Amino acid sequence: MGSMPTSHFSGLVAPPRDEIFELLGAFRRDTFPDRVNLGAGVYCTDEGEPMPLQVVREVETAMYEKADPHRHDYRAIEGDAEFLALARDFTFSTACAADRITSVQTVSGSGANHVGARFLAETLRPRCVWLSNPTWANHELIWQTVGVPIRQYPYYNPDTRAFDFEGMMATLEAEAEADDVILLHACAHNPTGLDPNQEQWKAIGALCQRKRIFPFFDNAYQGFASGDPDRDAWAIRYFAQLQQPALEMVVAQSFAKNLGLYGHRAGAFHVVAAGDGCTEGARDAVMANLAQIIRSEYSISPRYGSDIAKTVLGSKVLTAQWYTELQTMSSRIISMRQALYDELVRLGTPGSWVHIVDQIGMFSYTGLTYPEVKYLREKYHIYIHSSGRVSIAGLNTKNVKYVASAIHAVRSNPDAVPSA
């Protein structure tokens, strides 16, 4: 009897697993009653439970009662035209003419980022893409898969725990070239929670104009960051209205966080053209190229989440209700930042913690080291990303003192923390 043939896959090397999902799995397996999940970016109530928005629940009820016989039908490859027009206007408002923008529906923000990266890789053919250091880990993976070399611009200064605007500008001034892509977080930078101010955004826009750097905005938290969708879209709208020369740019948009549609994958990708790229023929060509990419990957996007988003955005009453809920969510995040900061200060925890309240959005770059994070996980059952990034949404009035006391214990007794 002959030996078993060698498998084609026997020598396959497993890539690193996604840390956020590994943390989530470990948290769910943990039976410690006071365990705390500060890894996953999912909004929770003060009781630590998921919070479907009331406006979403009302829309779901109406959809169920309507029982539209077409609710399971295929849609066009490019997506639902009504949803896309509403999503476009939610992002851009009146910052630029609608005939400059070509939009397609995507599988949430991750899908929009990937469709966009592949589209630019195949059409613009950039020398490289500039990503902030640090950035959302999936940005790197997505651009690697489309074969575009990655460069990094400074963003976070670990000494000051602040946005490194000077380092960013100096690096791009010295090293960026025409038609390089730069990925920018529209608001609530992930993972640092640090955003440029409006004057800094203006300087970044002027640099992109002068050096002909191509902006790619990731718009994942509009309305969720500050509670004001217009404020959170300021940078995108400012770039879109720039003239002499007008900027061409793209935007990846998600409704996962701001509508709580995490698992329903409602997103869009927008291409903003200028000059002769605004003609009907040019827009049709952009749409055809995007549709071909989508067809080759997943054919069409899910419709349930986009139906909810379309219904909310298409009603002034529901939109007003949604905006009230956005303010409630963002206010709770801000209050949890303040509570964590206040408790660390009250305890006299070594180090400066003011950066926690200076940051914005769901995440905070705490400055905790990997050995500290590992020790917090093993001894206190507090699950934090190895970078020290915490999801503020995982804090509540019942666990914030426990988290602060654990951080205080770690910082006050560094000799107890094993080195990595």
Side-chain angles (χ1 to χ4, degrees), residues 245-283:
L247 273 179
E248 295 191 300
M249 55 189 271
V250 297
V251 178
Q253 180 181 19
S254 168
F255 289 96
K257 301 295 192 296
N258 55 17
L259 269 172
L261 299 175
Y262 304 99
H264 291 302
R265 319 311 290 146
F269 178 69
H270 309 280
V271 179
V272 182
D276 56 8
C278 300
T279 65
E280 184 177 355
R283 294 198 311 274

Side-chain angles (χ1 to χ4, degrees), residues 83-139:
F83 162 72
L84 289 170
L86 291 164
R88 177 199 66 209
D89 292 347
F90 178 64
T91 297
F92 295 95
S93 186
T94 58
C96 65
D99 63 4
R100 288 187 60 195
I101 305 171
T102 303
S103 306
V104 292
Q105 190 172 336
T106 60
V107 184
S108 200
S110 296
N113 270 275
H114 186 264
V115 167
R118 186 172 157 192
F119 172 73
L120 293 181
E122 295 176 2
T123 57
L124 184 64
R125 297 184 177 87
R127 178 186 67 108
C128 69
V129 59
W130 289 91
L131 304 180
S132 63
N133 181 21
T135 193
W136 179 45
N138 212 20
H139 285 151

Side-chain angles (χ1 to χ4, degrees), residues 74 76-78 104-108 110-116 118 265 267-269 290-302:
Y74 285 123
I77 294 172
E78 60 270 20
V104 292
Q105 190 172 336
T106 60
V107 184
S108 200
S110 296
N113 270 275
H114 186 264
V115 167
R118 186 172 157 192
R265 319 311 290 146
F269 178 69
L290 290 169
Q292 186 175 52
I293 291 170
I294 291 169
R295 178 61 170 159
S296 72
E297 295 191 354
Y298 52 88
S299 286
I300 57 170
S301 298

Side-chain angles (χ1 to χ4, degrees), residues 47-372:
E47 288 70 41
E49 296 296 328
M51 193 196 83
L53 274 65
Q54 180 61 33
V55 69
V56 170
R57 285 183 280 186
E58 291 178 13
V59 171
E60 287 181 305
T61 299
M63 288 168 58
Y64 175 78
E65 292 174 349
K66 183 180 179 182
D68 182 355
H70 298 289
R71 65 190 180 277
H72 301 303
D73 286 354
Y74 285 123
R75 281 210 170 120
I77 294 172
E78 60 270 20
D80 180 344
E82 185 180 355
F83 162 72
L84 289 170
L86 291 164
R88 177 199 66 209
D89 292 347
F90 178 64
T91 297
F92 295 95
S93 186
T94 58
C96 65
D99 63 4
R100 288 187 60 195
I101 305 171
T102 303
S103 306
V104 292
Q105 190 172 336
T106 60
V107 184
S108 200
S110 296
N113 270 275
H114 186 264
V115 167
R118 186 172 157 192
F119 172 73
L120 293 181
E122 295 176 2
T123 57
L124 184 64
R125 297 184 177 87
R127 178 186 67 108
C128 69
V129 59
W130 289 91
L131 304 180
S132 63
N133 181 21
T135 193
W136 179 45
N138 212 20
H139 285 151
E140 297 184 22
L141 181 60
I142 286 169
W143 285 93
Q144 287 170 1
T145 63
V146 299
V148 174
I150 293 171
R151 302 283 299 275
Q152 291 185 316
Y153 58 88
Y155 195 88
Y156 175 74
N157 185 326
D159 296 327
T160 62
R161 298 191 179 97
F163 170 44
D164 187 3
F165 173 68
E166 292 76 15
M168 173 185 180
M169 296 297 285
T171 297
L172 294 172
E173 186 68 63
E175 301 179 32
E177 298 181 6
D179 296 332
D180 287 357
V181 174
I182 181 169
L183 198 145
L184 301 164
H185 300 230
C187 63
H189 182 273
N190 181 2
T192 68
L194 297 165
D195 291 342
N197 60 38
Q198 290 187 2
E199 292 307 310
Q200 291 168 335
W201 274 123
K202 290 177 181 178
I204 295 167
L207 180 69
C208 289
Q209 281 182 297
R210 180 166 46 80
K211 299 204 70 169
R212 291 178 51 214
I213 305 170
F214 193 97
F216 188 131
F217 276 98
D218 190 351
N219 186 25
Y221 300 97
Q222 186 184 348
F224 188 92
S226 70
D228 182 348
D230 292 326
R231 174 181 172 183
D232 293 345
W234 189 91
I236 292 174
R237 295 174 185 177
Y238 177 78
F239 275 55
Q241 57 83 40
L242 286 173
Q243 297 294 325
Q244 299 179 345
L247 273 179
E248 295 191 300
M249 55 189 271
V250 297
V251 178
Q253 180 181 19
S254 168
F255 289 96
K257 301 295 192 296
N258 55 17
L259 269 172
L261 299 175
Y262 304 99
H264 291 302
R265 319 311 290 146
F269 178 69
H270 309 280
V271 179
V272 182
D276 56 8
C278 300
T279 65
E280 184 177 355
R283 294 198 311 274
D284 287 347
V286 169
M287 180 69 80
N289 278 270
L290 290 169
Q292 186 175 52
I293 291 170
I294 291 169
R295 178 61 170 159
S296 72
E297 295 191 354
Y298 52 88
S299 286
I300 57 170
S301 298
R303 67 181 295 159
Y304 186 76
S306 63
D307 279 347
I308 293 172
K310 175 178 68 174
T311 305
V312 173
L313 290 167
S315 163
K316 290 183 178 180
V317 172
L318 293 176
T319 296
Q321 183 179 337
W322 176 37
Y323 282 19
T324 298
E325 293 192 76
L326 284 172
Q327 291 166 7
T328 298
M329 291 192 291
S330 63
S331 295
R332 197 185 85 75
I333 294 289
I334 292 169
S335 70
M336 285 299 100
R337 285 185 179 278
Q338 190 67 50
L340 178 60
Y341 169 76
D342 288 346
E343 188 64 14
L344 290 169
V345 171
R346 186 188 71 80
L347 293 169
T349 307
S352 171
W353 301 98
V354 70
H355 56 281
I356 292 174
V357 290
D358 287 343
Q359 297 162 357
I360 190 173
M362 180 173 281
F363 300 111
S364 173
Y365 228 46
T366 60
L368 293 167
T369 65
Y370 174 67
E372 290 173 331

